[in-house]
Amino acid sequence: MAQRWQPDFEQLADEHQSMVFSLAWRMTGDRGLAEEVAQDVFLELDRHMERIESPEHALNWLRRVAVSRSADALRRRRVRGVDLWVEIEEKHGVPTEERQSPLETRLEQLLSTLPEAQRAALVLRYQEDLTPEEIAATVDAPLATVKSNLHRGLKLLRAKATTHLKEYVRGL
Amino acid sequence: MDFEWPDQPQKSDEFERELKQAMERRPAPPSLKGRIMQQRSRRRSERHHTSIMWWQRLAASLLVGAVVAGGFGWRQMEERRRGEEAKQQVLTALRITNQVLNNMNRKLAEHDRSDNGK
C-alpha cells in the first residue's frame, strides 16, 4: 500500500504564499488586506492539515479558500462602510517595486472595478491559468456561470481598457 | 483553453496576452511567511493553553460534582441511619411498653385471682 502523503506546513507556506497573496491582492485590491487574508488562509490550512491528501489537494484548497476569504474580507469592509474603490484608486496609483509596467498597473486597476464573480473568474483564469472547468470546481459554481462570468468579465474589461488605456496601447 | 472571442479574435488574443502578463503572480512580502509561522506558533500555544485550561475546568467540575454527590450521598446515608436508629428506639419503646403491659396484665390477673379466692 502506498504511504500516505504527509503535508509539511512550512513547505506549503513557502511554495504557495505568493499564489495566495496575489489572489487575495487581486480580489481585494488592497495589499494590507491581502496580507491579512493570506495569513488567515494559511492559519486555516494549519487547522485543516489532517484533511489535506496530496500536494494538488493543498493547492486547490488554498486557491478556493483564498478566493472565498477575499470575498468575505471585501464584504466585511463594505459592511463597515469603507469605500474600498476609493482606497484602491489611491493605493494602485502608488508605484511599487513589484509593478512591471504602467499598462499592467492600469489593467489591474480596471480589473478591480469588475463585479466580484467576474473578477474571481478572470484572476483564476489568467493568474492561475485554470480552465473554466477547474475554475468552476474552485469557486463551486456551475460551469455555465463560470463561462458567462469569464465572457462578461473579459468583455467588460476590454471595453474599459479601450476607453481608459488609449494612452498606453493602440488597437486593444 | 483559449477563451472564445468570436468578434475580434486577433485583438482578443492580444488583449488576453496582455492580461496574462499583467496578472503574473506577485512575490509575497518577505515578512509574510515569518508572520504566518509566528501566528501559527502563537495560536498553537494558545490552543495548548486553552486545552490545559479546559482540562483543568473539567477536573474542577468533576471534583465539585464528586463533592456534591458525596455530600448528598452522605446526607442520605445519615438520614437512613438516623431513621434506622429512630426505628430501633421505637421498637425498643414498644417492647418495653409491651413488657410493662404484660406485667400489669399479669398483676391484674393475680389480683383478680386473689379477690376471687377471698
Side-chain angles (χ1 to χ4, degrees), chain A residues 9-10 14 17-19 21-22 25-26 31 35 39 42-43 46-47 99 103-104 107-108 122-123 125-129 131 147 150-151 154-155 157-158 161 171-172, chain B residues 1-8 11-12 14-37 39-41 43-44 47:
Chain A
F9 180 81
E10 195 168 352
D14 217 21
Q17 58 173 338
S18 93
M19 180 272 285
F21 172 69
S22 303
W25 194 351
R26 291 196 169 108
R31 187 194 165 101
E35 286 186 32
Q39 283 184 46
F42 280 106
L43 291 175
D46 184 40
R47 287 196 293 273
R99 295 263 173 239
L103 171 65
E104 286 162 7
L107 267 177
E108 282 205 328
L122 288 180
V123 171
R125 174 75 184 90
Y126 294 100
Q127 182 192 294
E128 293 303 307
D129 210 17
T131 62
K147 282 185 172 173
L150 278 170
H151 185 76
L154 205 54
K155 194 174 174 180
L157 192 63
R158 193 164 179 269
L172 267 178
Chain B
M1 279 286 279
D2 285 341
F3 197 78
E4 285 175 57
W5 198 259
D7 46 347
Q8 291 170 301
K11 285 180 182 179
S12 175
E14 175 68 13
F15 181 65
E16 285 191 72
R17 196 185 56 74
E18 290 282 355
L19 194 57
K20 200 166 170 50
Q21 206 174 335
M23 288 177 62
E24 274 180 6
R25 283 182 189 170
R26 287 188 172 131
S31 59
L32 182 65
K33 192 186 149 196
R35 271 180 285 149
I36 291 168
M37 298 309 288
Q39 274 209 350
R40 180 189 185 228
S41 96
R43 285 208 181 178
R44 288 199 157 195
R47 250 185 286 171

